[in-house]
Amino acid sequence: MDRPYRPELHFIRLGLPDRLGLAVKWYGYKGRILRVDLSAGKTSVEELRLDYVKMYMGGLGYAAKVLWDELQPGVDPLSPDNILIATAGPFTGTLAPGSGNIYWAFKAPMTGGWGETRSGGKFGSWMKYSGFDLIVIRGRAPEPVYLYLESGRAEIRSAKRYWGMTVHEVTDALRDDTGVHDASVAAIGPAGENLVRFAAIINDYDRAAGRTGGGAVMGSKNLKAVVAAGGEGIDVYDPEGFMAAALEAQGGIKADPGQRFMGQHGTIGGLLGTNAMGGLPTANFETGYFEAADRVSHETLERNYMIKRRACHACAIGCSRYSYVAYGPFATPPNEGPEYETTDMNGPMNMIDNMEAIIRVNYLANNYGLDTISTGHTIAWAIEAYQKGIITKQDTGGLELRWNDPETHVKLVEMIAYRKGFGNLLAEGSYRAAKAIGRGAEELVNHVKGLEFPAHDPRVESKLLAIQYAISPRGACHVHPIYPSYDMMQVDAGLKDFGLPWPLPDRLAETGVGKGIAYRALASYGEAFNNVGLCIFYSAGPESGVISPRRIARIYTALTGIETTPQDVLLAGERTWNLKRAFNLREGFTREHDRLPKRMITPILTGPAKGLKVESPDGLVDEAYDAFGWDRRTGYIRRSTLERLGMKDVEEQLQKLGKLSD
């Protein structure tokens, strides 16, 4: 459609005329930020800022800018002074494939630094349909409340009767009590209420925004839930162009064999292959091979327990599972999952070979509102420490900790959620629990910045993953901003032009082969997904099967009317990555926090990957620092980097704090 680009059409005055006397609106975006002051019991609405949109596009980039501007450094993550932001990208709620995401940003209870977490489902879309691109929540309500959103309006309502309910219970109750039975509900369970540091925010019953402790932040604010009832649509600048771009991307995704496998078998479909290569975390990462892996595989799930596949809003893959256990000690009603991470962290990681127990743990964790990764990993750490005599029965209250003990594992999940007995210590996460125990317990913790490793071993999968674990602003993470196994990717010239080495070096090669440069390209690409609101699973595969920078730019331009190139998309991603880095620098993080734990530089003991380790962790970090333009000695961002990215305000603040490198 031939329409001239008009910058003034991207301002919104919430019903007021602009300087030209026109009533104008945003395209793609709703143009509204909802601000919620729980201490005062008040809400207000303001417009998006076009300058922030041009710099960061939206989503986590915009949220990072709000936190940078408004959150005072040094605040306790569980105090009323922390800020919790729910954010959707411009693609969220549209027909762009893979656009059913919600992101949450905050100062993290797990790390004391940058906190972010995402989930799929439909909450992000329903939040947009309710009229808002971002919700900025501050303060603490004097008693439990929930937030109700509909048609550009917001109400703070009492949640006293819902406090203490599980996620499933409160979701049903709120839908019944509001009379909006198709509303999307994001809620916390008992774990969030009890300020478990790795409590999750769960939307649509089982979709977990799990990592870094967003549920604890929500609980600390006495905020039980957010109900998004919808009521509005999303305007598209060029409907024909947008549909053509979206359908072209969707067709490529559906034609890709890797994406079809993901849809057919879910993320758990990769468990057997990972085990075969010796990279399946087992026994707290002591090995990467589990002899009974077939008992907890996708084949076992599909043969005995799976009901159907499920998909998020606008998803062309449908990777989620829906399963149940009909009878027995681990009987479980139908629920969503388990995914690969949940299965490994609560299965092989603890030497558990019982799929029924894993399904039960998945159900309980979602209902209580727990991050299944930190839950399973923390229990595995405790078992190893107990087996080595570091933790005793006096510490556990008489509870014996053993490998392959599904009954005790299930019991510990409840104890953690309600902070009962030994569960009260585990609710702090393995890093803090180990510091409290002492006696060498810290040597057994697999974490970066206080966040436990997920179910991917960088010694085996990719040395790019080692870089991401080390320098990721939220701590050890395999998907934020991207799953960085670039040897599996055959991406288009949008990334090659941005510095991705070609041809690609071996996945296990370390320094001197361009790994730092490659990671800069991939991290910027991944942050672009977080900015526009796309699922990261759409970033792997050949050009025919990904939403590449070229496709993002094409969809974005047609959706919003803002002319955008692939380079613009990647630069916005790089700005977001550096802004998160600046956030952590302001909180006191340095090069010393970008380190892998002892076990990752120790050879794997058994299995097909026996003997593998990260040979040069410092060298990998050095190469990444050089590529991003950060100082090797301090980890500070160089002035020239921020100048190149146009981040003058960040440069000035870091300069005042003495945390800018020349």
Side-chain angles (χ1 to χ4, degrees):
M1 182 175 294
D2 186 16
R3 293 183 180 179
Y5 171 58
R6 294 177 57 189
E8 68 272 13
L9 291 182
H10 304 290
F11 287 99
I12 183 169
R13 300 297 180 186
L14 302 179
L16 300 177
D18 71 355
R19 59 184 175 81
L20 300 177
L22 300 173
V24 296
K25 60 187 176 184
W26 291 73
Y27 293 94
Y29 305 90
K30 294 305 298 181
R32 304 187 191 111
I33 299 174
L34 174 65
R35 290 192 173 271
V36 180
D37 185 338
L38 293 174
S39 296
K42 295 180 179 179
T43 65
S44 61
V45 178
E46 66 182 42
E47 63 184 298
L48 285 178
R49 289 182 53 166
L50 181 61
D51 54 343
Y52 287 8
V53 166
K54 287 184 174 181
M55 286 286 286
Y56 302 102
M57 299 186 76
L60 274 175
Y62 201 116
K65 189 63 173 72
V66 173
L67 283 179
W68 176 260
D69 289 346
E70 300 181 18
L71 184 67
Q72 290 298 312
V75 304
D76 185 327
L78 298 177
S79 76
D81 296 325
N82 199 1
I83 297 173
L84 176 66
I85 300 176
T87 178
F91 288 11
T92 307
T94 73
L95 294 180
S99 58
N101 291 279
I102 183 65
Y103 304 88
W104 301 83
F106 44 86
K107 186 175 180 181
M110 284 294 285
T111 68
W114 170 261
E116 69 179 69
T117 186
R118 67 155 293 279
S119 67
K122 69 177 188 178
F123 182 79
S125 300
W126 259 245
M127 188 181 88
K128 283 273 290 281
Y129 300 155
S130 298
F132 306 104
D133 296 295
L134 287 91
I135 307 173
V136 181
I137 304 167
R138 61 179 72 238
R140 176 184 292 153
E143 59 183 30
V145 297
Y146 75 95
L147 187 63
Y148 181 82
L149 314 175
E150 185 174 11
S151 301
R153 303 185 305 273
E155 296 177 26
I156 300 172
R157 299 178 177 178
S158 174
K160 284 194 292 185
R161 96 169 190 86
Y162 308 114
W163 203 255
M165 288 186 177
T166 65
V167 169
H168 291 184
E169 289 170 344
V170 72
T171 300
D172 284 338
L174 285 169
R175 283 177 158 185
D176 288 342
D177 292 351
T178 61
V180 186
H181 293 283
D182 65 345
S184 183
V185 179
I188 58 171
E193 296 175 3
N194 293 318
L195 306 185
V196 174
R197 285 192 181 268
F198 46 90
I201 302 171
I202 310 288
N203 57 270
D204 306 314
Y205 294 101
D206 294 303
R207 302 303 300 181
R211 308 232 68 196
T212 72
V217 176
M218 204 162 157
S220 74
K221 296 184 176 301
N222 274 334
L223 180 62
K224 180 65 175 177
V226 181
V227 179
E232 295 186 354
I234 298 173
D235 292 302
V236 177
Y237 181 77
D238 177 0
E240 289 87 350
F242 171 76
M243 284 301 297
L247 289 173
E248 187 256 348
Q250 184 181 86
I253 292 158
K254 288 184 173 181
D256 181 68
Q259 304 291 18
R260 287 202 300 272
F261 182 87
M262 175 77 80
Q264 289 168 355
H265 303 297
T267 58
I268 193 177
L271 187 145
L272 290 177
T274 302
N275 190 57
M277 66 189 294
L280 184 68
T282 302
N284 198 30
F285 277 92
E286 282 204 317
T287 182
Y289 184 75
F290 187 50
E291 291 185 357
D294 61 304
R295 299 178 189 173
V296 295
S297 69
H298 72 280
E299 295 171 348
T300 298
L301 180 71
E302 291 165 8
R303 183 171 57 247
N304 300 317
Y305 308 107
M306 184 171 151
I307 300 171
K308 61 180 180 179
R309 292 163 55 185
R310 299 197 75 177
C312 302
H313 170 86
C315 181
I317 298 175
C319 72
S320 184
R321 316 289 91 183
Y322 206 63
S323 63
Y324 80 117
V325 178
Y327 55 85
F330 303 115
T332 304
N335 71 110
E336 199 164 349
E339 307 289 345
Y340 166 76
E341 300 292 331
T342 300
T343 301
D344 179 67
M345 285 289 116
N346 297 277
M349 186 70 164
N350 288 269
M351 301 290 284
I352 290 173
D353 60 4
N354 188 317
M355 178 58 84
E356 294 185 358
I358 293 169
I359 292 171
R360 181 66 183 172
V361 167
N362 176 76
Y363 169 77
L364 292 175
N366 287 345
N367 222 359
Y368 294 149
L370 286 168
D371 171 20
T372 57
I373 296 175
S374 284
T375 297
H377 195 144
T378 297
I379 295 172
W381 158 80
I383 293 172
E384 183 181 0
Y386 184 89
Q387 292 293 314
K388 292 182 174 178
I390 297 171
I391 290 176
T392 68
K393 281 190 176 181
Q394 184 176 353
D395 298 311
T396 66
L399 195 64
E400 187 172 354
L401 303 183
R402 299 182 296 258
W403 299 118
N404 197 17
D405 184 355
E407 291 81 8
T408 299
H409 193 94
V410 170
K411 182 185 297 184
L412 282 170
V413 172
E414 180 179 359
M415 291 173 67
I416 290 169
Y418 288 95
R419 285 188 173 269
K420 295 178 180 178
F422 185 55
N424 187 48
L425 177 66
L426 299 184
E428 292 294 297
S430 59
Y431 172 70
R432 284 181 171 80
K435 290 182 71 174
I437 290 289
R439 304 191 290 269
E442 294 163 273
E443 293 289 304
L444 307 180
V445 177
N446 302 303
H447 79 99
V448 176
K449 303 178 179 70
L451 186 68
E452 292 86 5
F453 272 43
H456 298 267
D457 194 326
R459 295 172 293 183
V460 181
E461 290 197 24
S462 168
K463 296 304 168 63
L464 282 175
L465 187 60
I467 293 176
Q468 177 151 299
Y469 280 170
I471 72 172
S472 173
R474 80 168 186 170
C477 178
H478 65 297
V479 290
H480 279 241
I482 197 169
Y483 180 63
S485 187
Y486 77 109
D487 54 293
M488 298 169 59
M489 300 173 64
Q490 302 291 328
V491 291
D492 75 336
L495 279 190
K496 287 187 242 179
D497 292 347
F498 203 69
L500 189 72
W502 209 269
L504 301 169
D506 182 83
R507 63 187 172 85
L508 295 181
E510 295 199 10
T511 60
V513 292
K515 285 290 172 79
I517 296 171
Y519 185 71
R520 171 179 167 253
L522 290 175
S524 302
Y525 176 44
E527 289 290 16
F529 275 66
N530 295 332
N531 290 345
V532 298
L534 288 173
C535 176
I536 205 66
F537 287 167
Y538 286 74
S539 66
E543 155 66 2
S544 64
V546 304
I547 300 185
S548 62
R550 177 186 64 82
R551 283 180 169 147
I552 292 174
R554 184 182 172 197
I555 295 170
Y556 183 82
T557 299
L559 174 64
T560 68
I562 302 174
E563 294 291 341
T564 303
T565 68
Q567 288 295 94
D568 294 332
V569 169
L570 292 167
L571 280 171
E574 189 178 8
R575 290 188 189 103
T576 300
W577 181 252
N578 277 275
L579 187 54
K580 295 174 183 179
R581 177 80 182 182
F583 182 97
N584 276 358
L585 292 174
R586 192 170 66 176
E587 293 292 342
F589 288 74
T590 67
R591 166 77 187 237
E592 292 302 309
H593 295 88
D594 291 347
R595 294 197 178 278
L596 296 175
K598 180 179 180 180
R599 187 149 287 172
M600 293 302 110
I601 58 176
T602 303
I604 294 175
L605 296 180
T606 61
K610 180 180 179 180
L612 286 183
K613 64 178 180 178
V614 179
E615 299 281 353
S616 181
D618 289 335
L620 288 168
V621 171
D622 284 345
E623 288 198 10
Y625 278 20
D626 290 347
F628 280 109
W630 303 342
D631 183 83
R632 281 191 176 193
R633 182 178 61 84
T634 62
Y636 295 169
I637 304 172
R638 295 190 182 279
R639 186 188 306 275
S640 58
T641 299
L642 296 174
E643 288 176 348
R644 175 176 60 83
L645 296 173
M647 300 171 69
K648 185 68 176 177
D649 59 323
V650 178
E651 177 190 342
E652 290 174 350
Q653 283 202 44
L654 291 179
Q655 175 72 44
K656 290 178 182 177
L657 294 170
K659 297 183 177 182
L660 181 70
S661 175
D662 288 318

